[in-house]
Amino acid sequence: MKITLTDTGKKFGSEWIFRNLTHTFESGCACAILGKNGSGKSTLLQLISGNLHPSEGTVRYHIDGREIGTDSIFRYLMIAAPYLELIEEFTLEEMLRFHFSFKRMVPGHSLATVRDLLGFSPAAGKILSQFSSGMKQRLRLVLAFLSDVPLLLLDEPTTNLDRPGMEWYLGLVSDFRRQRTVIICSNLEKEETAFCESKIFIGDFKPSGKKPNFAPPIV
């Protein structure tokens, strides 16, 4: 999926979160949106997802040359973020079956392989409210990566993960990012986003910011 932002800005009330952002997220590439906490990274990600509308400028989506409307973009993406709620009354098995009843699974995988990827199958009988914060974050990431969609939006993906969890996340990226557009919000540039081909520094698009600083794509 190719996503093009042109002179895009978002404000709440009279405060601009960012302005004059023009960038193309290339199909099949990974891009990091970098900045300190509260800088507007998540706002930009929500705008890209169609959950927020720009205050100025445009956001356009294309798959194989065909334009996709903002009202239907949700069908083509998955978001993983620590603030997204899970259905905590569900068991792991119920959550997996519910999710994959409306999102197609990546071909060649099954509920069994999804459980194996999570790495904590003995907890399958527990309800999600009994899961640790790290287990919940692993579940959010697996649901995203194992959904057969062309666009993955990851907001602070390693929140609540320990060092083995960080390595587990990078393994998911290596195994499941192929031919997808991946956009990651992060303030941990080296740990979470070292594999990204391009980077945006959200602070450059504050109204009083300096000249935009795009890290060039890796060729």
Side-chain angles (χ1 to χ4, degrees), residues 50-211:
N51 289 331
L52 293 176
H53 296 290
S55 302
E56 63 181 11
T58 60
V59 182
R60 301 179 68 182
Y61 312 88
H62 291 84
I63 299 177
D64 299 327
R66 176 172 58 95
E67 186 162 5
I68 305 297
T70 303
D71 57 345
S72 60
I73 192 61
F74 69 93
R75 298 190 179 99
Y76 301 90
L77 64 82
M78 277 296 301
I79 302 177
Y83 50 78
L84 292 181
E85 296 294 335
L86 299 167
I87 304 175
E88 298 214 336
E89 294 80 8
F90 278 5
T91 64
L92 173 60
E93 187 75 14
E94 289 169 337
M95 188 70 227
L96 295 178
R97 291 186 181 278
F98 174 75
H99 176 82
F100 290 111
S101 70
F102 62 88
K103 285 290 187 182
R104 187 171 62 179
M105 192 180 298
V106 170
H109 292 273
S110 66
L111 291 181
T113 60
V114 174
R115 290 191 294 270
D116 289 343
L117 280 171
L118 283 168
F120 52 81
S121 55
K126 292 183 178 180
I127 59 174
L128 301 189
S129 63
Q130 298 174 335
F131 282 21
S132 70
S133 57
M135 292 165 69
K136 290 177 182 177
Q137 185 62 8
R138 283 191 178 224
L139 177 54
R140 294 183 186 100
L141 289 168
V142 161
L143 293 177
F145 277 99
L146 269 293
S147 296
D148 189 18
V149 293
L151 176 61
L152 292 179
L153 305 177
L154 309 178
D155 197 351
E156 309 288 356
T158 62
T159 297
N160 298 320
L161 298 184
D162 55 14
R163 177 53 56 182
M166 174 78 77
E167 295 172 356
W168 171 86
Y169 152 76
L170 293 174
L172 278 185
V173 171
S174 177
D175 292 340
F176 293 103
R177 64 158 287 197
R178 298 180 185 88
Q179 299 180 334
R180 289 169 149 175
T181 304
V182 182
I183 303 174
I184 304 169
C185 290
S186 177
N187 55 17
L188 300 172
E189 181 175 354
K190 292 183 179 179
E191 291 88 347
E192 290 183 329
T193 65
F195 57 87
C196 291
E197 288 86 3
S198 63
K199 298 173 183 178
I200 294 174
F201 299 89
I202 192 68
D204 292 347
F205 298 93
K206 298 292 183 181
S208 59
K210 59 185 179 180
K211 183 178 179 181

